[in-house]
Structure formats: C-alpha cells, structure tokens
Amino acid sequence: MPAMTSRFSRPVVCPDLVGREAALEWLRLTYAGAARRGCVALVSGEAGIGKTRLVAAFLDEAVEAGRFTARARFFSDDAALPFSGIARLILELGHTEPERGGVVGPVADELARNAPELARLLGVGRGASTAPGVEDADPARRRRNIELVALLLVANLPAGGAVLAIDDVHWADSTSLETLLHFARAMPGGCLLVLTYRNDEQSGALRALLADLDRERVATEIELGPLSAGEVERMVRATVQLDAGGQPSLMRLVHTLSEGNPFLVEEILRTVVDVAGAVQRVPSVDLAALDVPRSVDELVRRRMESLADDDIEIVRLAAIAGQRVDLALMAELTGHDEARLLGAMRRCIEAQLVTEEASGAFVFRHALTREAIRSRVLRRERRAISARIARALELRMSGGGDDGVEELAQHWYEAEEWEQAHTHGVRAGLRALGLAAPEEALAHFERALAAGEQAAVGDLSAVRRLRGTAFEGLGDFEAARRDYEAAVGDGERAGNTRETWRALLDLGLLWAARDYGRSEPYFRRALAIARETGDAEAIGHSLNRLANWFSNTGDAGSAVRLHEEALGIFRRRGDRAGEAQTLDLLGMACTQQMDFVGAARHYREAIPLLEEARDRETLSSALASIQIGSGTRQSDMTTPALTLREGSDYGRYALRIAREAGRRPSEAYALWQLAFSLGPQGLYDEALAGAEGALRIAQEIGHTQWEIAARCVRGALMTDLLAFERARRSLERAAEQAAAMSSGLWLAQAQALLIDALVASGEREAAVRLFEATKTAEPGAFGTRQCFASGVEALLAVGAVGRASAMLDALEAATSPAGALVALRLAYLRGRILAASGDETAAVGELEAAAAAARVQGDRSYEWRLECELAGTRAAAGDPEGARAAGRRAAAAIDEVAAKVGDPELQAGFLRGAYARLPASVRPNRARDGSGPLTSRESEIAELIAAGLTNRAIAERLVLSPRTVESHIAHAMGKLGFSARAQLAGWVVERRGAQASRRSGTGDGGEDQ
C-alpha cells in the first residue's frame, strides 16, 4: 500500500507592525487633540493595506494606558441590515452604570416604542410595541430613530472618555452612516471614533458622510500606502526569522508580487512556508515553483464570476500581455474596436481586477491579480499568444531603439523561442542596468541565460558577468561572486580575454568591500592581461583599480603614481568618462594623503564630467567624498578646503543620486559620509539616522568596509554627544572588524576615534596606552595622522605638555598653512597647550580666533568646547567678566545643539556633561537660584510634574505627543543638572518657596548669578 503524505497549511502572521510608525503617531496626536472636543479619525486604503492592524495596535496602547475602548465592524452583507454595525458597537459598549443623568432609559423607551425590532437588536427598552420596525417608511420617524440611536451611543459612553473603532464602513448601510454623522456631532471631549474604509469601494452614502465630516471639521484622515521595499524586507524577516542578508531573492519576489501590500506579503509567505514545510527551510525553497496564494486565487475567481465570457477572454489575453493593458495592442490581437475594449475595462474595474491610471491607461490591481488570471490559461495556449504578441511588438520596434525591448524579451521567452529570447533578454538587461534598475536587470539576465542554454549558445561569459553585476547592485555578495568566477572560467575556455579581464576586475572590486587581501590578486591578474593584449583602455582601468587598492591599504603615494599614469592614457585617448573616473580616484588618493585642497580640485573637475557621462555611481561617490575635506571628525587636524555646510550640500546631492540609481553600496557610502559632516554642524538626529541607515545597509549587503565606517561615524557622534559608553562599544567593534579585514587605514581611524572617546570620558591613561600601542611615530597619511592628533590630545590630558607640544609642532609642520579656513583641532590643541604652559594671554588669543573660525565654518561642536575652554582660561587669567561672557556664549551654543537632539536620554546626558565642562566659577547654579534658563513650555511641564501628572497625562493636557513631552523634560533636567523627575518636581517646589520669600521680603536674595 503506498505511503500517504499530507501537507498542512498554517497562518503566517507578522508579529510586528511594520512601516506604520508615523500613522500610529498620527492616531496618538489625534486622540490628544480630542481632549476638548470629540473627534473622528478616518483610516483609508485598499484592501489588505493594514488598516485593521494599525487600529488594533492603537487600541492596545489605549488599553495599556487605562482607557476605555470598544470595537465593531461592518460585513459585506450589512448593506441590507440597517444599524447592524452600530448595534454591534452598542453591545460592545454595554450600558454604563449608573445611567448618565437618566439618559439611557428614556432613549431606550422611546426607541422601543418607535422601532421595537431595533430595540430588541440593541438589547434595550421596556416592553414590546406594534410600532413600525427598523426600516420605517416615514422619513420623520426614520430620522428620529437615527437620532435616538446616536443618543444611545453617547449615553453609553463612560464618563472618562473612550476610544471607539468601527472597521469597514464601506460596507455600511446608509442608515448606519447617517447615525455615525449624528454621533460625531454629539461626541463629548475625550472621545475618539476611528473609522476604517476602503477608498476604492466607496458607496454614495459613504461619500456623502465623508463630505459632511469634512464640511463640519470634525474628522481628520490618513490614507495608508504600500510598504517600501525596505519595509517589506523588515516584515519578511520579522515573520520568518531570516538573518540579515539572508535570501535576497525571496525579498525581491515578495516585494514585486505584493507591491507593498502587507496582507499579500503574508499570503505569499504562507505559500512559501507551505512549500518549505517549515519556517527553517524557507531559504531552500525554489521560488520559481511557487503557486499563486490560494486566498488570492479564490478572490480573483469570485471577482471574475461577474464578467461575461467575452470580457473574461479579453482580461485573460491582457494578463498574458503584461501588467499594463495596452489598448492598441489588445485591439490588434482581438480585432475589437476601442469602444468594445473600454467597455470591457470598465466592467473589469467594477469587478476590482484592473484600475485606471491618471493617464487613461489600465493596470491590474496587483501583480498577483494578473498572475492568478494568467495561470488559468493553458500553457500551450499561453505560448501561442506570447508568440503573437512578440511578433506584434517587433513590428512596432522596427524603426529602431530599445523602447519596449523588455516586453519583447519576456514574450519571446514565454513563447519558448530561445534564440530571440536570449538576444533580446541581454538587450533588456543592459537597458535596465543603464537605468540603474538592478532588480529588473537580474530578471532579464536570468531569462537570457536560461534561453542561451536552451539555444546552445557557446560563450555565456558576458551574460554571467552581467548577471553578477545585477546581483552585486542588489547586495547579494555570494551570488555575484559565483557569477563572476563562472564568467572568468567561461571566458578563459572560450578564449574571450576581454570578458575574462572584465570579470577579474569585477571580482577584485567585489572583494574590496570585504577583504582587501582577497582583492589584490584579481587586480594584478587583470592588469597583466591588459598589458599582454596592449589594450590601452583596459590598462588604464586596471591601473586605477590597483591604485585604489593601494589607497585603501595605506600606500597613497603608489596610488597617486598609478592614477596619474591612467589619467595620461585616458586624456591621450580623449576618453572623458575614463578621465572623470580617474579624477575621482585621484581625489580619494589625495584625501588619504591629507591634501584636501588637491582632492577638492580633482573632485570639482570630475563632477561635471561625470554628470556629462551620466555615470551616476561614480558621481555619487565623488560628491560624497569631497565632504571629507570640510573639516569633519576624519579631517579636522588639517586645513579644510570647504566649509561643513558646503560639504553637506554635496553630500545630500550624493545621497539623492545614489538612491535614484538604486545602488545600495553607494547609498551606504553617501549616508555615512554625510553623517560625518552633519554631526559637527549640530544636526545630530539626521547624522545618527544616516549612520544607522548606512550600518543597516552595509550589514544587509555584507559590505564590511562600510559597516566599519558607519560604526566609526556613530562612535564619533556619540563622543560629541558625551555618550561615551555607546561611543566606545561602536568604535571597539569597528577596530576589531578593520583588523580582521587587514585594513590599516580603517584600523587607524577607528583607533584614533577611540582614543578621543577615552580622553573625553576621563579614561586618560587608557587613551595614552592605546596611542602607544598604535606605534604612530610621525604624522603620516590619513589614518596615522588621525592617530597622531588623538595622541596629542591624550598626552595633554595626562599632563605630558612638553611631548604633546612637540608632537603638535610636527602636525602643524605637516599641514598646509591656514588660508580662509582653519584646522580647528590644531588651533584647539595649541590654545590648550599654551594655557597648560602658563601663557594665558597667548592661549586666549588662539582660542578666540579658533572660536570665531568655528562659527564661520559652521562647526557647532568645536564652538561650544572652545567657548568652555575660553571661559576657563580667562578665569585662570583673572578676567572674571571675560570668563562670564565666554560662559554665556558656551551655554547658548550648548543649548542650541541640545535643542536639535531628539532622543531625550542623549539630550539630557549631553546637557549635563556639556555644562560640567564650564568652570564652576561661571557655571550657572540654576538649581539653587530657581531662575534657570527653562523655556515657558519647559517651566509649564515642570509645574505639571510637580502636580503629579504622568508624561501621557501632560501630553493630553497640553495637546502634545508623549515624545515631545519627554524631550522637554530631558532638556529641562539637562539644563538644571538633574537625572530624575523627582528632582525637577523638588526644584519647582523650592522655586515657589524662594519666590514667596522674595515677595515677603524674608529671602536672602540668593547668590549673584
């Protein structure tokens, strides 16, 4: 007897609410705004977009906060059942006891007399009646019933307010919708009514309700859109517990098919898990073999039942043709005129199979809708139809150009005409790469390879290499490596030296992101092949790649020589694109030699050439890299070539170009470089978000170099914000990774920033030990000069003034003279060394000039530290007035920086630590005199804390978000040097007492501040 096998299907539900954080905050703020007057919150969007889940998360929060909640919904058959959804809500509310002012009883009695069936439905009333039923033919009686039900809703609300939710009001009957309008008008303060509906299924009655709510200004609305590719990826990982970077092909498939619809994401994952048999086996699933999810297939089947046979044939043909419905092509294939086809499309819209775009074109509602319809056509029939479509498309393209080549390649592949599918698939993939669309390129190259194998095409090395390029663009390291290595082997076997050379360069570049030691042999092999063949262009590019390897391993001198040789080759050939790429790389080599003026010159020369060549990847790199010369934490020990603001302007342009190009490594690079230039300007929230974004992308795509960079910038930012433990953890991990990847450049940078963090946190001896361990004997190129400057700081901190001064002399000798801009770190260190040597007058002059330069260069971080140092130096020099003036400037700069730090914990810690840097003689004792620099809002919140209110209660009282309240509290505590709310409450009480004493004349006047 044969063995019996079974397959079990199980629900797949994401445990987290992904991509709806802003919508959830909107609901919180809407509820806070309902404190004085009841309000309606409308949540709209297509089916499955996450309306119900969003509202559930909000209600869960409300329950946790001790609020009364109730929820009901309408169903698809409720349109014929007046008051059905309202009745469910009233039954959920239950009768409040005691009845509010005797309202419930009279309302219930009148309702029982007017509409006994409705009263029984609602479970209210005292006795039966033979009065008219629910659907009363008398308009006046019907209107009165509506008013009574609305009053009954109000009467059942608890005295402390409530959060009510009704889902799917697009299915509500007109009577219920009118009742909701009456209820919205009568809702008391503290009550929020959340209504969800599908914005593509609005009845006339619902449109009327929405218009009335808008007109009466009692509602606010949010429309939920699809999740982004990153949010879909987060949802997938949370649902099936995949590691970061795991199964990128699954992520691409789910995003493409779901189009960001959360319900469809879960349905697709359910299909994947069913095929895998267990969540743990998801990475091994053959994604090409997946079926349309059963729920989607059944939904489409039901929707197609409303269509006539002729319309079904048209929509099936359209599904085979593509996601977009081309009416001209459909007319050619079917012989129908435009009027007939438009009628069919209108009926398909009514059946919710297609939608009309603004341009008048038609598209299937979702990729899965199209796939479900397409799968109902027999494969043999699909092949024949695809062949007809391909021939029609070829006729259209006979005039030349690649417009439409993607559809042509797809249909030749579907028709199993392999030679044409291979040829046009390569064309389509190249076009997609040119448009910076690696995901689309990957699909075309995969089909081109499969078709080429079916057609027995001999040398497929170029297609394998191109597919590797698409994989690399998507951050799939292993898949890219396999394709590049296969391309090298195919090229060597076929004697195709050009493709072998290209694949070797690609392999070297791929490994450069992870392990410099692994990349060098590929670059040297590529250069050897280029010299053997005498191909000048190949020699130039090979020289650049090997030179860049020298740059990244710390030998900037060798890098510059090789780049200059390459630049000569490209200029002799008149190759402007090659020239631009070489100038970009020369800029980086000069940067690593700390020649920022030269680097900026090369970058500025390269940028217009790159724009002309439309080389967006290199353009983004050049724009991001020029920021290093603006005096960031990577380069503040030498003369900058541009201000921080100029640098971040370039950086934002770089980030926009990288995102438009869809290159994730480029986006990560742009993010962390921009973070380095934003931090010193005091834009820490944006900078930290950029650092975290770069780290996340780098981890997802396995780019170790950019992961190290992101950790370095995060550590530098945390040091600036005086969050030393967080800085240390990040920088120690960066140093470990840099050592493991054999990158002397990144190891030196990580160690330099770690020394700075140790000095700033007071661990001075540890900082000196780390500096001595680096064995940095002189200020060399990029990383070693950073270490040398950090060593000066460490030695000065332990009192080794003579050695610190000698090392600073060496740093200044290795730095080009200051022009319009100043090397702030050198000026800062020189002022401190002069002060430590007893020359306060010279120290004051140096520090004042540096503070002025910091303001010009937009460096808020150095500005407040320099002013603190000035206050101490002037106080030591016997200049109390000058010290107080510097103290006031320092406090203003500290407050300005803190105001832009959104994290309350970081903000409070920064304020406490920064104010502690001021000398005690000029530091405001705000806790004692009760006249602290709190804003009116901070003072108001402090008073409410003293009155015993929680943060959430304060937020509701002041119509603020809880996060805003937390930020104000943190800022206030930081200014006053407090670490707990209780201290703030005590300060309020003390201040009241001091004010009362002053008014009565019994106070001692306090200390002169």
Side-chain angles (χ1 to χ4, degrees):
M1 185 174 178
M4 179 177 292
T5 60
S6 300
R7 182 168 135 187
F8 298 94
S9 182
R10 69 218 71 185
V12 171
V13 179
C14 180
D16 302 327
L17 183 69
V18 176
R20 301 302 184 211
E21 294 81 5
L24 192 58
E25 179 65 14
W26 169 81
L27 280 172
R28 296 182 190 119
L29 293 172
T30 302
Y31 180 73
R36 297 183 181 88
R37 179 191 178 192
C39 180
V40 178
L42 300 167
V43 182
S44 63
E46 66 178 18
I49 204 66
K51 304 180 293 295
T52 301
R53 189 170 301 183
L54 168 66
V55 175
F58 176 60
L59 291 177
D60 287 345
E61 283 190 2
V63 170
E64 288 179 10
R67 301 192 186 106
F68 182 89
T69 67
R71 187 175 196 177
R73 64 172 298 188
F74 286 93
F75 297 93
S76 58
D77 54 0
D78 280 345
L81 298 172
F83 294 112
S84 54
I86 303 294
R88 295 183 190 107
L89 182 62
I90 290 175
L91 293 173
E92 280 291 314
L93 282 169
H95 301 314
T96 57
E97 293 294 343
E99 296 175 358
R100 296 176 59 193
V103 173
V104 173
V107 169
D109 289 345
E110 185 179 355
L111 192 62
R113 290 193 299 272
N114 279 3
E117 294 175 20
L118 176 57
R120 282 195 295 273
L121 180 66
L122 299 176
V124 298
R126 301 186 177 98
S129 170
T130 57
V134 174
E135 279 294 355
D136 201 309
D138 180 358
R141 190 185 294 274
R142 176 179 179 275
R143 181 175 179 82
R144 181 56 181 163
N145 287 345
I146 289 172
E147 292 172 351
L148 289 171
V149 175
L151 284 171
L152 190 62
L153 271 170
V154 173
N156 275 282
L157 291 175
V163 181
L164 312 179
I166 307 181
D167 291 302
D168 297 330
V169 296
H170 52 276
W171 282 325
D173 60 285
S174 59
T175 305
S176 293
L177 294 175
E178 288 184 53
T179 306
L180 288 175
L181 178 61
H182 280 269
F183 177 54
R185 291 167 175 161
M187 276 193 302
C191 182
L192 176 68
L193 174 63
V194 184
L195 304 177
T196 75
Y197 71 94
R198 296 180 188 172
N199 50 13
D200 54 356
E201 296 186 34
Q202 297 178 37
S203 64
L206 177 57
R207 286 194 292 271
L209 171 66
L210 297 176
D212 285 335
L213 291 173
D214 281 345
R215 186 163 49 250
E216 299 185 25
R217 303 290 192 269
V218 293
T220 181
E221 180 169 6
I222 189 169
E223 180 179 349
L224 299 185
L227 302 180
S228 67
E231 289 165 343
V232 169
E233 185 168 338
R234 282 171 51 203
M235 189 173 175
V236 172
R237 294 194 192 288
T239 304
V240 294
Q241 293 87 49
L242 287 177
D243 296 332
Q247 196 73 343
S249 56
L250 174 63
M251 307 301 175
R252 292 191 293 273
L253 176 78
V254 173
H255 180 248
T256 299
L257 292 180
S258 69
E259 298 179 357
N261 184 294
F263 170 75
L264 294 180
V265 170
E266 290 176 339
E267 288 300 285
I268 294 163
L269 288 176
R270 177 177 181 169
T271 302
V272 173
V273 172
D274 285 350
V275 171
V279 168
Q280 294 80 0
R281 291 198 288 273
V282 163
S284 64
V285 169
D286 178 8
L287 299 177
L290 293 178
D291 295 325
V292 175
R294 182 173 59 195
S295 59
V296 178
D297 188 63
E298 176 60 19
L299 178 63
V300 170
R301 185 194 65 77
R302 289 201 307 267
R303 289 176 174 176
M304 289 182 70
E305 285 178 348
S306 65
L307 299 179
D309 289 346
D310 286 351
D311 290 343
I312 290 174
E313 288 306 310
I314 289 172
V315 78
R316 284 178 173 175
L317 187 62
I320 294 170
Q323 182 68 16
R324 301 174 68 89
V325 182
D326 184 334
L327 288 184
L329 179 62
M330 294 299 294
E332 186 175 343
L333 294 172
T334 64
H336 295 314
D337 60 21
E338 184 177 288
R340 171 71 182 85
L341 293 171
L342 286 173
M345 288 300 103
R346 183 172 58 255
R347 289 183 287 276
C348 288
I349 289 173
E350 292 169 357
Q352 298 184 49
L353 297 172
V354 302
T355 60
E356 183 180 15
E357 291 186 322
S359 62
F362 301 93
V363 296
F364 285 93
R365 287 177 63 91
H366 288 286
L368 282 174
T369 303
R370 178 205 167 204
E371 190 57 33
I373 297 171
R374 181 179 169 277
S375 66
R376 294 175 182 274
V377 182
L378 295 175
R379 180 174 176 179
R380 186 181 184 88
E381 188 179 356
R382 290 204 305 265
R383 285 174 54 193
I385 293 172
S386 287
R388 287 173 56 202
I389 293 171
R391 284 191 288 271
L393 291 174
E394 275 199 331
L395 284 175
R396 288 186 178 189
M397 295 174 60
S398 57
D402 277 341
D403 287 343
V405 70
E406 297 86 358
E407 292 83 1
L408 181 60
Q410 173 71 31
H411 285 297
W412 279 130
Y413 187 84
E414 293 287 343
E416 299 183 13
E417 297 287 347
W418 302 122
E419 287 188 11
Q420 286 129 314
H422 172 73
T423 300
H424 295 299
V426 173
R427 286 176 61 196
L430 287 169
R431 178 176 160 90
L433 284 181
L435 295 171
E439 189 167 338
E440 289 79 1
L442 176 62
H444 291 303
F445 289 133
E446 286 184 333
R447 285 193 292 268
L449 269 173
E453 290 169 352
Q454 290 287 341
V457 173
D459 181 11
L460 292 172
S461 58
V463 190
R464 292 196 194 282
R465 181 182 61 79
L466 289 168
R467 187 175 68 171
T469 302
F471 275 126
E472 185 178 1
L474 291 167
D476 193 337
F477 174 86
E478 286 299 329
R481 180 186 61 79
R482 287 194 299 269
D483 269 352
Y484 289 149
E485 289 177 349
V488 170
D490 286 353
E492 288 175 337
R493 284 188 292 274
N496 189 339
T497 55
R498 183 74 173 179
E499 280 304 322
T500 302
W501 167 77
R502 284 174 169 166
L504 286 167
L505 280 188
D506 288 337
L507 270 168
L509 285 168
L510 184 70
W511 274 111
R514 293 198 168 203
D515 187 339
Y516 287 122
R518 297 288 295 272
S519 63
E520 180 194 11
Y522 294 115
F523 291 142
R524 292 196 180 277
R525 281 179 64 190
L527 180 58
I529 289 175
R531 292 197 188 280
E532 287 171 11
T533 60
D535 185 330
E537 179 190 14
I539 292 170
H541 287 300
S542 301
L543 286 167
N544 274 339
R545 289 299 109 211
L546 185 58
N548 187 244
W549 178 83
F550 276 119
S551 284
N552 285 311
T553 53
D555 188 352
S558 296
V560 169
R561 287 193 297 275
L562 292 177
H563 282 316
E564 287 178 343
E565 182 183 349
L567 185 63
I569 291 172
F570 289 124
R571 282 179 169 164
R572 286 191 295 274
R573 289 172 47 82
D575 184 341
R576 290 170 67 81
E579 180 183 354
Q581 291 173 2
T582 309
L583 286 167
D584 169 60
L585 292 167
L586 262 171
M588 181 56 68
C590 287
T591 293
Q592 290 170 352
Q593 288 186 310
M594 307 301 285
D595 177 12
F596 294 127
V597 173
R601 184 177 66 252
H602 288 310
Y603 285 131
R604 285 175 170 143
E605 193 177 352
I607 286 167
L609 292 174
L610 293 165
E611 289 175 325
E612 173 191 308
R614 298 185 179 181
D615 183 351
R616 292 194 289 177
E617 183 178 354
T618 312
L619 173 61
S620 176
S621 172
L623 291 164
S625 300
I626 198 172
Q627 296 173 96
I628 306 173
S630 63
T632 71
R633 289 297 166 269
Q634 299 180 91
S635 56
D636 57 5
M637 74 296 299
T638 194
T639 306
L642 64 165
T643 67
L644 286 164
R645 173 64 181 273
E646 290 170 328
S648 60
D649 285 347
Y650 279 117
R652 288 195 171 96
Y653 182 21
L655 182 58
R656 176 165 63 82
I657 294 293
R659 284 175 170 164
E660 288 173 357
R663 291 276 301 177
R664 303 194 77 203
S666 299
E667 182 181 356
Y669 181 66
L671 279 168
W672 68 256
Q673 287 284 22
L674 180 59
F676 262 124
S677 65
L678 290 173
Q681 295 179 68
L683 303 174
Y684 286 107
D685 278 2
E686 187 180 353
L688 285 168
E692 295 300 333
L695 181 61
R696 183 176 60 254
I697 293 172
Q699 289 175 327
E700 289 169 358
I701 66 177
H703 200 306
T704 308
Q705 184 180 176
W706 289 174
E707 186 177 344
I708 294 168
R711 292 187 190 281
C712 281
V713 68
R714 185 171 66 179
L717 294 170
M718 289 300 173
T719 300
D720 270 5
L721 289 171
L722 313 181
F724 302 120
E725 185 56 37
R726 290 163 75 172
R728 183 171 181 168
R729 287 198 303 269
S730 191
L731 294 167
E732 286 176 344
R733 178 60 181 145
E736 290 171 5
Q737 289 180 292
M741 107 174 263
S742 307
S743 175
L745 173 68
W746 281 110
L747 179 59
Q749 286 195 64
Q751 289 175 328
L753 291 168
L754 184 54
I755 292 168
D756 292 341
L758 291 169
V759 171
S761 67
E763 297 181 68
R764 299 164 183 172
E765 298 294 342
V768 172
R769 288 196 298 273
L770 178 57
F771 170 65
E772 301 291 3
T774 66
K775 297 182 172 58
T776 305
E778 59 183 24
F782 204 92
T784 53
R785 192 174 303 197
Q786 281 182 285
C787 273
F788 201 81
S790 298
V792 175
E793 191 108 34
L795 291 167
L796 181 58
V798 297
V801 179
R803 187 179 170 195
S805 181
M807 287 176 60
L808 183 58
D809 289 343
L811 260 178
E812 289 175 332
T815 302
S816 57
L821 303 178
V822 174
L824 290 174
R825 184 164 201 174
L826 300 189
Y828 179 57
L829 289 170
R830 179 58 67 192
R832 291 173 60 200
I833 286 173
L834 288 169
S837 302
D839 192 347
E840 284 93 356
T841 302
V844 165
E846 188 74 35
L847 292 170
E848 283 190 334
R855 285 189 285 273
V856 169
Q857 293 167 210
D859 197 317
R860 296 289 171 264
S861 178
Y862 267 113
E863 183 182 350
W864 74 261
R865 286 184 287 157
L866 283 160
E867 292 292 1
C868 285
E869 201 67 38
L870 260 173
T873 305
R874 282 192 175 279
D879 180 8
E881 184 56 41
R884 281 194 290 270
R888 286 192 294 272
R889 292 193 300 271
I894 290 166
D895 287 348
E896 181 184 344
V897 170
K900 296 178 182 177
V901 179
D903 184 313
E905 181 183 347
L906 274 178
Q907 186 188 67
F910 170 73
L911 284 164
R912 285 194 297 272
Y915 277 122
R917 301 288 180 94
L918 282 168
S921 59
V922 300
R923 187 185 310 149
N925 190 354
R926 284 143 176 172
R928 285 184 54 192
D929 74 353
S931 62
L934 302 191
T935 65
S936 59
R937 179 64 86 183
E938 291 162 358
S939 296
E940 184 179 19
I941 289 172
E943 292 282 351
L944 293 173
I945 288 173
L949 272 69
T950 65
N951 288 6
R952 189 166 292 279
I954 293 170
E956 293 173 1
R957 171 79 65 88
L958 301 179
V959 195
L960 299 171
S961 72
R963 184 175 179 83
T964 301
V965 171
E966 290 169 6
S967 180
H968 283 308
I969 293 171
H971 205 173
M973 289 196 300
K975 287 179 177 180
L976 299 172
F978 296 152
S979 58
R981 284 167 53 93
Q983 292 174 293
L984 192 57
W987 173 79
V988 171
V989 174
E990 289 178 13
R991 185 176 66 168
R992 288 174 186 162
Q995 289 171 342
S997 296
R998 283 195 290 271
R999 283 195 298 271
S1000 64
T1002 59
D1004 62 7
E1007 184 178 324
D1008 181 16
Q1009 300 300 321

